[in-house]
């Protein structure tokens, strides 16, 4: 916070961007705690932008890819359900369309897009 305040004006709304970052925090309570602690430090009107690899029964290939990564790569990745990703925004006002497949978050032109990808995300405002 002290270092960040050299660059950021914490008297004005700030955007906290956690794209593909919370995936490295396996423990559910710790993940919530990190997001909460960072958002608590920001003034009203600030926004959280967060994306997260998901797991869902109709996307088994993603589970297999993440398992392969975790056996062969580092750092370990954690998948969460779309519902669990949505809970990371608790206490904030989710902007429309909510937590969705990232390619479905307000696309300019959705004609050539796949239905969904395994990276879900959303944007929310701190009240
Ligand atoms: C999925 S990428 C997302 C990058 C960026 N946020 C984006 O959306 O383009 C995750 C990034 O976290 C970095 N990373 C992983 N563990 C880290 C750590 N312990 N400290 C700093 N960076 C880390 C990786 O090198 C990688 O660049």
């Amino acid at each position: 916070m002290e270092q960040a305040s050299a660059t950021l004006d914490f008297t004005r709304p700030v955007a906290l961007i956690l794209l593909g970052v919370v995936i490295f925090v396996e423990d559910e309570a710790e993940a919530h705690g990190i997001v909460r602690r960072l958002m608590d430090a920001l003034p009203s009107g600030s926004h959280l932008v967060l994306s997260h690899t998901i797991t869902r029964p109709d996307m088994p290939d993603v589970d297999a890819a993440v398992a392969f990564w975790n056996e062969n790569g580092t750092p370990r990745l954690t998948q969460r359900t779309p519902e669990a990703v949505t809970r990371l925004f608790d206490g904030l006002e989710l902007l429309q369309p909510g937590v969705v497949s990232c390619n479905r978050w307000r696309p300019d032109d959705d004609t050539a897009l796949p239905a969904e990808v395994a990276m879900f995300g959303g944007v929310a405002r701190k009240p």
Side-chain angles (χ1 to χ4, degrees):
M1 181 84 178
E2 197 181 314
Q3 282 180 321
S5 64
T7 305
L8 300 170
D9 176 359
F10 285 106
T11 66
R12 301 175 61 197
V14 170
L16 172 63
I17 301 173
L18 297 177
L19 297 177
V21 171
V22 184
I23 55 174
F24 300 122
V25 185
E26 192 166 354
D27 183 79
E28 191 78 3
E30 190 181 358
H32 278 265
I34 289 168
V35 174
R36 182 72 40 240
R37 195 162 70 247
L38 291 171
M39 287 308 293
D40 280 352
L42 305 181
S44 172
S46 293
H47 284 70
L48 171 65
V49 185
L50 184 148
S51 69
H52 203 296
T53 311
I54 63 150
T55 180
R56 218 173 52 183
D58 62 330
M59 294 180 172
D61 291 355
V62 180
D63 295 353
V66 171
F68 181 83
W69 170 265
N70 284 338
E71 282 160 23
N72 297 283
T74 186
R76 283 183 62 80
L77 306 185
T78 296
Q79 295 165 269
R80 292 190 161 86
T81 63
E83 294 74 21
V85 177
T86 303
R87 284 196 294 275
L88 292 168
F89 292 90
D90 279 356
L92 306 173
E93 301 164 351
L94 263 174
L95 274 55
Q96 290 299 323
V99 174
V100 296
S101 171
C102 286
N103 64 330
R104 294 290 164 192
W105 203 92
R106 304 189 186 187
D108 291 330
D109 173 10
D110 65 2
T111 49
L113 294 177
E116 287 183 308
V117 296
M119 183 66 83
F120 272 41
V123 180
R125 180 185 182 279
K126 180 175 177 176

